[in-house]
């Protein structure tokens, strides 16, 4: 007997999509260029999530354009922020969850940025502990880092730790649409 998931080109399950939906919804957030809000998505949830799963698991998913929003900085000027559609955020969460299990153990214990179950209070506590052991500190904030990172170098780093083809395929597709507004 053939397992249903063996016939799909990508090993993405409906459960993975459902769990990603729950996580993304708990974060709330605004709609993207398609203007689909949570009420609209939830009114036909089974259909939307089924279509998303079907596209992700068949390899035919391509992300939508990203909505650009200008955020004013306290210091003056603006910072441009890209807002993906809700369905794209769910797809990103599917990939993030899979990738996180692989790369999370590789991070140093003193690393706190964008990591699960770590927050700024944990970072301050670690910095305090470090201050007793070292007489120096390094504070880095790379201006426009995510706007200027070399995508080929980024993909080389991802490939170094993860050789999962569907993860690499979808990250490449998102990087290709990141600058489309």
């Amino acid at each position: 007997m053939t397992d249903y998931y063996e016939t799909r080109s990508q090993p993405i399950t409906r459960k993975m999509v459902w769990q990603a939906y729950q996580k993304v919804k708990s974060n709330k957030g605004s709609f993207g260029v398609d203007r689909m809000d949570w009420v609209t998505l939830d009114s036909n949830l089974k259909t939307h999530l089924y279509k998303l799963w079907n596209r992700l698991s068949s390899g035919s998913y391509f992300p939508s354009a990203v909505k650009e929003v200008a955020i004013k900085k306290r210091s003056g000027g603006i910072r441009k922020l890209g807002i993906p559609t809700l369905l794209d955020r769910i797809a990103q969460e599917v990939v993030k969850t899979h990738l996180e299990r692989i790369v999370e153990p590789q991070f140093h214990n003193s690393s706190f940025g964008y990591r699960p179950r770590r927050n700024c209070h944990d970072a301050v506590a670690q910095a305090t502990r470090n201050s007793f052991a070292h007489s120096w500190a390094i504070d880095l904030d790379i201006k426009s880092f995510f706007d200027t990172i070399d995508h080929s170098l980024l993909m080389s780093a991802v490939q170094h730790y993860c050789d999962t083809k569907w993860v690499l395929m979808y990250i490449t597709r998102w990087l290709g649409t990141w600058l489309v507004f």
Side-chain angles (χ1 to χ4, degrees):
M1 182 171 165
T2 302
D3 182 5
Y4 177 75
Y5 294 107
E6 288 179 16
T7 64
R8 310 301 285 179
S9 64
Q10 312 307 326
I12 299 169
T13 65
R14 287 181 277 193
K15 183 177 181 180
M16 292 165 72
V17 174
W18 174 250
Q19 290 171 335
Y21 160 78
Q22 291 176 311
K23 177 104 187 257
V24 171
K25 183 160 184 175
S26 72
N27 292 336
K28 300 177 178 126
S30 184
F31 52 81
V33 293
D34 65 354
R35 304 195 59 78
M36 180 190 294
D37 60 11
W38 288 107
V39 173
T40 306
L41 177 61
D42 289 342
S43 70
N44 201 359
L45 184 61
K46 276 187 167 183
T47 301
H48 289 299
L49 291 186
Y50 176 79
K51 284 180 183 178
L52 179 62
W53 166 74
N54 195 29
R55 290 179 181 141
L56 283 169
S57 63
S58 68
S60 65
Y61 164 80
F62 283 88
S64 301
V66 177
K67 178 180 172 184
E68 181 182 69
V69 177
I71 307 293
K72 291 183 183 179
K73 294 182 178 181
R74 282 188 213 164
S75 60
I78 61 166
R79 178 172 67 96
K80 292 180 180 179
L81 184 65
I83 310 291
T85 66
L86 298 179
L87 291 172
D88 285 344
R89 269 191 259 166
I90 294 167
Q92 289 169 6
E93 184 63 33
V94 168
V95 174
K96 176 190 160 284
T97 300
H98 181 82
L99 184 60
E100 206 167 62
R101 285 194 304 265
I102 297 167
V103 298
E104 178 62 24
Q106 305 300 321
F107 284 97
H108 191 279
N109 283 335
S110 293
S111 174
F112 291 88
Y114 303 103
R115 292 187 61 199
R117 297 170 299 283
R118 292 174 177 251
N119 58 44
C120 59
H121 300 293
D122 297 330
V124 169
Q126 181 66 46
T128 302
R129 287 191 296 275
N130 289 349
S131 69
F132 291 111
H134 305 286
S135 60
W136 51 270
I138 299 173
D139 181 21
L140 297 174
D141 185 14
I142 303 171
K143 182 180 178 184
S144 302
F145 178 76
F146 292 111
D147 297 334
T148 59
I149 189 169
D150 182 319
H151 291 178
S152 61
L153 288 176
L154 175 64
M155 287 309 298
S156 292
V158 173
Q159 284 177 308
H160 178 76
Y161 293 101
C162 176
D163 61 357
T164 309
K165 300 233 183 282
W166 64 270
V167 169
L168 300 172
M169 175 180 67
Y170 287 133
I171 292 174
T172 301
R173 288 180 186 175
W174 283 311
L175 290 174
T177 62
W178 178 250
L179 302 175
V180 177
F181 293 104

